[in-house]
Amino acid sequence: MSFEKIKLHDFLLLLIRIWLGYRMFTASYSSVVDILFHPRERAFFIKWFGDELHFPMPLLMAFLAKGAELSGGILVFAGLFTRAAAMLIAFTMLIATLTANLGDDWNIDGGFTVSYFLFALVLLHEGSGKFSLDYWRSVANLKNSI
């Protein structure tokens, strides 16, 4: 693989990480805050995850899903523990697609969750690339072992 391709590959991974991390953060931050601090919104999540999606312990499941999006998004954006964070996002997006977005919401939400799932799979397979904290952590570990 040539130097130019390596640069392009790492740059594309950077773009995927920034986009996926940003979207996960913006899709989840207000939801996590609402679940924690706003009773009206908490009731919305209980109804949505309980009555509509039929999850047991709906508030806990909503918090876990939105918390996975939030923490995974922050870590992916930074390129820190990228594979683990991508796995968390991929799992969450797969469940979201299968439970909430296969019906009437497919045209609106399904395309997003499938796209995020696929981006997460790319990061899970490829890692974070050279423009990441993971890369610099591995370089530091290598230097310390010498």
Side-chain angles (χ1 to χ4, degrees), residues 22-97:
Y22 167 77
R23 292 297 299 149
M24 290 294 100
F25 181 83
T26 59
S28 61
Y29 177 77
S30 64
S31 298
V32 169
V33 170
D34 288 344
I35 290 169
L36 292 174
F37 301 112
H38 300 110
R40 180 179 283 172
E41 293 300 319
R42 198 176 304 132
F44 163 78
F45 282 103
I46 291 170
K47 183 178 181 341
W48 181 25
F49 275 68
D51 297 343
E52 296 175 24
L53 300 178
H54 310 291
F55 280 107
M57 301 178 290
L59 190 59
L60 176 63
M61 293 297 161
F63 184 76
L64 290 174
K66 292 301 182 176
E69 291 175 13
L70 181 63
S71 60
I74 291 169
L75 291 171
V76 160
F77 188 89
L80 183 62
F81 307 114
T82 303
R83 283 193 163 104
M87 187 181 310
L88 193 60
I89 291 171
F91 177 76
T92 304
M93 292 300 104
L94 178 63
I95 298 302
T97 300

Side-chain angles (χ1 to χ4, degrees), residues 15 19 56 59 100 105 135:
L15 291 178
W19 179 246
L59 190 59
D105 292 335
Y135 177 78

Side-chain angles (χ1 to χ4, degrees), residues 3-4 17 20 24 28 56 68 70 73 75-77 79 85 87 92-93 102-103 111 117 120 124 134 136-137:
F3 181 69
E4 290 81 23
R17 279 193 10 254
L20 182 61
M24 290 294 100
S28 61
L70 181 63
L75 291 171
V76 160
F77 188 89
M87 187 181 310
T92 304
M93 292 300 104
L102 283 181
F117 172 75
L124 184 60
D134 285 336
W136 292 107
R137 204 169 46 97

